Amino acid sequence: MSMVAVSGASAETLKIAFIDPLSGPFGPSGQAGLNEWIYAAEQMNANGGINGNEVEVIGYDNKINPKESLVQLQKALDSGVRYIAQGNGSSVASALIDAINKHNKRNPGEEVLFLNYAAVDPSFTNDRCSFWHFRFDADADMKMEAVTNWVKDQPDIKSVYIIGQDYSFGKAVAAAAVKNLTEKRPDIEIVGNELHPLGKVKDFTPYVQKIISSGADAVITGNWGADMVLLIKAATDSGFDGPILTYYGGSKGAATAMGEAAVGQVKAIVENNTNLPMSDAQAAYVDGYEAKYTEDNYYYHRIHNAMNMLSMAAEKAGSIDPMGVAFALEGMEYDSPNGVVTMRADNHQILQPMFMSTFSDDVERGVEKLPLGWKSGDADRIEAEDTRTETTCKMKRPKT
């Protein structure tokens, strides 16, 4: 267990257990997320904490394994943690949702709240929705709506290859891509639909060769972490020159792997990039983070939103008790740096402005110490309400 705490004293401490990979191939992605949670907590503590309480973030290495995640969850519960943050891997999130539901049912008065910042399997806010789970990222279906809205207006794209990681999230991305392309561009041929082992492929060249051989005009992928970085490196090294449409093209290390060869070619659907217009306060927040974590770039803007909405909910509830905070979060609106975001009351899914971003050499703020970064034009913004999708959630709420 790796532990990092934000020090200080207050009447009570609001503990957040961060359960994500801190070692192995996805360790860099997990560490970057932990750094942003710690930084957000530090900024909150510098302004009096959450409802007057100090915030402490504790990192638990789950090695991106669901069983190990449950071991780490129990360690967190034993240390008095009442808030769980996780995002890397929907298989992990699935296990945590089930375990937290059982814990809360068996331990009234000691409930735990799950702050999901990146696990985007749509089922978590549909048939498997839980009162104790709140998602601060757009789900896989919401992201695919945006990606395919871009594709439908590209007449030169006649064929698409879908590739992803072989677990629930990768399967959800593939299903959403097929559904949306069929509805919006029935003329497009899906020339490949392939899943690969999660975190086990060291060289994606054989996969890219299949993509090239298929004659695909574009690639759609939900890959993240090392799988995203290695896929893009193989694609650029092999000479694939079509659009690569991603959820996580901004994964740590991807820009260095892509280099100038991917400029204008790789796109990502995101809730933020650092070349969007920023207020002085937000620019100071971003600059402060990147000055402290010199090997990172500011990426998980949704963590900033989650921490501020958690603070607002605690103030509204007059308490840091998870049940009161959960009820206060339902339907909450927060005026974020990119516009108003809303936590849906019916299924606990965030609605926030989204942006189609393009890897570019014409940016003010580069990433990974490169003169390359991500940018979006005015036409690339999707308003928060336009990300709303239908839900099958039948929320069961506790009695108060």
Side-chain angles (χ1 to χ4, degrees), residues 17-21 60-62 64-77 83-104 112-117 119 124 128 130 132-133:
F18 177 92
I19 302 178
D20 256 339
Y60 293 81
D61 183 7
N62 69 357
I64 204 163
N65 181 288
K67 290 183 179 179
E68 181 63 24
S69 299
L70 298 183
V71 172
Q72 300 304 328
L73 172 64
Q74 190 57 54
K75 289 180 180 179
L77 297 175
Y83 290 87
I84 306 297
Q86 184 271 338
N88 286 279
S90 289
S91 58
V92 170
S94 177
L96 290 176
I97 289 170
D98 288 343
I100 289 169
N101 285 343
K102 290 175 183 176
H103 169 84
N104 290 351
V112 174
L113 205 60
F114 183 6
L115 309 175
N116 174 357
Y117 75 97
F124 301 157
R128 295 189 58 204
S130 166
W132 306 106
H133 166 268

Side-chain angles (χ1 to χ4, degrees), residues 243-258:
I244 303 176
L245 309 173
T246 79
Y247 284 15
Y248 304 114
S251 292
K252 187 172 181 178
T256 300
M258 293 189 294

